[in-house]
Amino acid sequence: MDINKIEKIVIDIAGVMHPAIDLSLTDLGIVRDIDPSENRVAVLFAFPFAKIPIADKLVNSVKQVVLRHDAEFHHEIVVMNDVERAEFMRLEASAWKGEGGNCGGCS
């Protein structure tokens, strides 16, 4: 995969927004790592809790970006550590755009 295509994929993934928080998945620490190689992009997702109801929706939103670039999508999911989770919760509280107040990590 050439460097321009890699840059475009990384930029496009960085622009994927959380549906209820006015920040990108990258800014929230949910997209932790992007590893493009050949015609494949592996994305490491870190969620604040083990069971997130919208996890599939978030993964699929990034997957669609990768597929638009005619690349193969692979992913892994891990759970944030306490420090990462605290930062996520702080960001969530400051940028929540959903109804009914803070979603509490969407758990």
Side-chain angles (χ1 to χ4, degrees):
M1 191 177 311
D2 70 55
I3 190 71
N4 291 330
K5 185 173 183 176
I6 291 170
E7 280 184 19
K8 182 67 173 147
I9 291 171
V10 170
I11 288 168
D12 287 353
I13 290 172
V16 175
M17 300 297 288
H18 191 286
I21 304 170
D22 198 20
L23 291 168
S24 73
L25 299 182
T26 301
D27 290 340
L28 288 165
I30 291 173
V31 170
R32 181 183 284 175
D33 187 49
I34 304 166
D35 182 18
S37 61
E38 295 303 315
N39 198 35
R40 175 182 188 269
V41 178
V43 180
L44 177 61
F45 292 87
F47 291 117
F49 305 100
K51 297 194 186 280
I52 301 294
I54 64 169
D56 288 343
K57 180 177 183 174
L58 299 178
V59 170
N60 284 330
S61 65
V62 173
K63 179 180 181 179
Q64 293 309 310
V65 168
V66 172
L67 296 178
R68 279 197 302 270
H69 289 279
D70 296 320
E72 191 176 317
F73 176 76
H74 295 270
H75 73 284
E76 181 181 346
I77 296 173
V78 298
V79 176
M80 293 177 177
N81 64 36
D82 291 340
V83 172
E84 294 165 333
R85 184 178 308 106
E87 177 63 5
F88 170 85
M89 299 299 282
R90 184 189 69 75
L91 291 169
E92 175 195 48
S94 71
W96 180 252
K97 64 181 183 180
E99 294 182 24
N102 186 299
C103 81
C106 301
S107 61

